[in-house]
Amino acid sequence: MKSKFSILLVIFILFASTAAFAQSDCENLLKTELEALPGVQSTVQDNGKFLAILSTSDRTKTIKIVSRITILHNHTSPAGCDFKAFPIAILNSNLLPIKSKTGKALRNTDIAKLLYKYVYELSPLQLEENLKGYTRLAELSPKSRYYAARVVHYQERINLQQDRIKFIDQCLKEAAKDKDIIDLKINRDVYLFITAGDTPQKTALNFLDKVAKITPKPKKDLCLFFYDSSLNRKGESCPQEFQETLGSTEEALLMSYVQSIPSHFIIQNINGYKALKELNPTSTLYPAKLKSYESKLVGLNRFLNIKTASGQKVFLANSSKGYTLFLTLNDKAVEGKSNSSIDSLYSALNSYYTYSGSPYLRCTFKSQSGATLGSIQCTKSGQCRFEK
């Protein structure tokens, strides 16, 4: 008798387990089928109950998508899964409820539970979606203080983000017009100022006050870094709250500026990579870049100070504009020379300029009277040729 009872018990347990597995398999199959439907943005499942969130709030499109969901809901799969056994609530892209026979068996508490599961999985950075989610949850559960507080929280964050964007835009517009601001780099609430003059901090704070009269500052403290025109760091004003999340933001902002400096601005690049090296002494990139530009400066100075065999300077003056270096050739360096000798001089100057690191892509020679004698033209790889 005991043996017969044991056999029946085992059969019952196996049947119950098979049914449970079948239920789980059918739920997963329905979720897969739902997610594959065009217009269904997200699906949530919980204990045989489903929530489908659509990718649109357009009425015509919504009707078509709900029709597809209804057809699927009335379907029985080849494996024998009756999808009608699983109620499906439907929300549009604004998380507003869509009437459908598929979700008739669900109560507000069921929908709230499914919706919370969806909202809980959202990134905190999805501000608008979080606000929509908690607003809808607060409507479904009006007595919940938690949902009400979340609505306020995300509304404040959205307002802050909008204020931040407006203030940053205004700062960048005003900086482009302000002769005292050489450059301004911004990452959210972190500002790096590069200013003219000897008082970068005062210049930057006055600038922010001026912008705040046009567009209100965000209701959050700013973290400020101040640099002079030679990229000497002249201080910071950064609240303690930033210290945990600041990381390498200052370095990244300064790097963004330094990388924007044209390569022929040799001294500015040297100053930039010196400043970056101080911020990050362990970097291998900054010392290498610094060495490269210091070598270019040595080469440029060596080229500018070359002399003739008699000890006279070959170049009497120099200036630059953009990627071109202009040099005034000493008339005495070519005085009384034959054309072939002058050509040999230009060829020698071209070779020496290449050897010196071709600091500018173009080097133009002018006579003391201002006439153009010819130019050394270089490629970015450092290959140069002289052209009359």
Side-chain angles (χ1 to χ4, degrees):
M1 187 69 180
K2 285 184 179 179
S3 175
K4 193 173 182 180
F5 177 76
S6 298
I7 292 170
L8 288 171
L9 182 62
V10 169
I11 291 172
F12 174 77
I13 291 171
L14 286 172
F15 176 79
S17 299
T18 303
F21 278 121
Q23 172 90 357
S24 174
D25 290 343
C26 287
E27 281 189 51
N28 292 334
L29 180 59
L30 176 56
K31 188 173 192 299
T32 301
E33 295 286 347
L34 266 175
E35 289 172 342
L37 288 178
V40 176
Q41 178 179 286
S42 302
T43 63
V44 182
Q45 69 183 100
D46 185 69
N47 290 329
K49 302 178 182 70
F50 281 80
L51 173 66
I53 299 172
L54 310 187
S55 60
T56 182
S57 58
D58 179 83
R59 188 172 180 276
T60 304
K61 292 179 181 177
T62 297
I63 291 171
K64 291 180 181 179
I65 301 167
V66 171
S67 176
R68 295 185 193 118
I69 294 173
T70 304
I71 292 169
L72 175 64
H73 194 239
N74 291 330
H75 179 66
T76 300
S77 75
C81 293
D82 182 7
F83 292 153
K84 215 166 188 177
F86 308 108
I88 306 171
I90 304 173
L91 303 180
N92 68 14
S93 59
N94 291 324
L95 302 185
L96 296 174
I98 304 299
K99 287 185 179 180
S100 170
K101 294 178 181 178
T102 62
K104 282 169 60 176
L106 294 173
R107 297 168 297 173
N108 278 354
T109 52
D110 297 320
I111 297 171
K113 187 175 182 181
L114 289 163
L115 181 57
Y116 180 73
K117 193 172 180 180
Y118 166 74
V119 175
Y120 185 79
E121 293 297 323
L122 292 174
S123 163
L125 299 179
Q126 293 175 267
L127 303 182
E128 296 285 353
E129 196 67 10
N130 272 286
L131 179 60
K132 285 191 293 185
Y134 282 112
T135 299
R136 181 65 185 136
L137 284 166
E139 291 169 356
L140 291 168
S141 307
K143 293 182 180 180
S144 171
R145 292 181 180 179
Y146 174 74
Y147 293 153
R150 291 281 86 189
V151 170
V152 172
H153 170 76
Y154 279 104
Q155 186 60 67
E156 287 178 347
R157 286 191 61 186
I158 288 171
N159 293 341
L160 173 63
Q161 185 183 58
Q162 290 171 345
D163 291 345
R164 178 190 288 131
I165 291 170
K166 289 178 184 177
F167 191 72
I168 289 174
D169 285 346
Q170 195 65 48
C171 279
L172 294 176
K173 286 177 185 176
E174 296 302 317
K177 299 183 288 185
D178 195 318
K179 60 182 177 58
D180 292 324
I181 306 296
I182 295 173
D183 205 349
L184 171 59
K185 299 296 182 184
I186 304 173
N187 182 342
R188 286 173 61 83
D189 301 309
V190 182
Y191 290 55
L192 187 142
F193 285 90
I194 300 159
T195 70
D198 301 325
T199 56
Q201 182 164 347
K202 182 180 178 182
T203 300
L205 294 177
N206 287 342
F207 171 81
L208 289 173
D209 288 342
K210 180 182 74 174
V211 175
K213 291 175 182 176
I214 306 170
T215 302
K217 275 187 184 180
K219 292 179 181 178
K220 190 176 190 303
D221 289 333
L222 302 179
C223 177
L224 311 174
F225 297 100
F226 313 107
Y227 284 77
D228 66 15
S229 58
S230 297
L231 296 186
N232 296 305
R233 193 176 188 276
K234 293 295 185 178
E236 66 177 74
S237 175
C238 197
Q240 185 63 35
E241 64 184 275
F242 284 89
Q243 299 309 314
E244 291 182 6
T245 58
L246 191 60
S248 59
T249 305
E250 181 186 1
E251 180 187 347
L253 291 174
L254 182 59
M255 182 61 166
S256 174
Y257 172 70
V258 173
Q259 287 181 325
S260 73
I261 300 172
S263 60
H264 56 273
F265 289 174
I266 299 172
I267 292 177
Q268 290 92 325
N269 273 286
I270 287 173
N271 291 338
Y273 284 106
K274 276 184 179 177
L276 285 166
K277 185 181 175 184
E278 287 179 13
L279 282 180
N280 185 359
T282 61
S283 168
T284 56
L285 172 65
Y286 303 148
K289 286 283 189 179
L290 181 58
K291 184 177 179 181
S292 171
Y293 279 106
E294 286 175 337
S295 177
K296 270 192 172 187
L297 182 60
V298 170
L300 175 61
N301 288 331
R302 185 170 54 214
F303 183 75
L304 294 177
N305 291 291
I306 57 175
K307 296 180 179 179
T308 64
S310 60
Q312 293 177 323
K313 289 192 72 173
V314 172
F315 304 116
L316 299 179
N318 68 83
S319 63
S320 63
K321 184 177 180 181
Y323 289 89
T324 302
L325 174 67
F326 295 95
L327 299 176
T328 301
L329 192 66
N330 189 341
D331 289 347
K332 292 181 180 179
V334 294
E335 194 174 58
K337 299 276 179 75
S338 65
N339 287 338
S340 61
S341 295
I342 293 172
D343 287 343
S344 295
L345 172 64
Y346 289 147
S347 178
L349 289 174
N350 178 71
S351 297
Y352 197 63
Y353 187 75
T354 304
Y355 169 74
S356 298
S358 53
Y360 288 77
L361 293 179
R362 188 178 180 87
C363 176
T364 297
F365 300 142
K366 290 184 173 292
S367 67
Q368 287 181 238
S369 63
T372 299
L373 303 172
S375 295
I376 297 173
Q377 186 73 43
C378 302
T379 64
K380 289 185 178 180
S381 62
Q383 300 299 313
C384 303
R385 71 179 187 279
F386 179 79
E387 296 175 349
K388 279 190 177 180

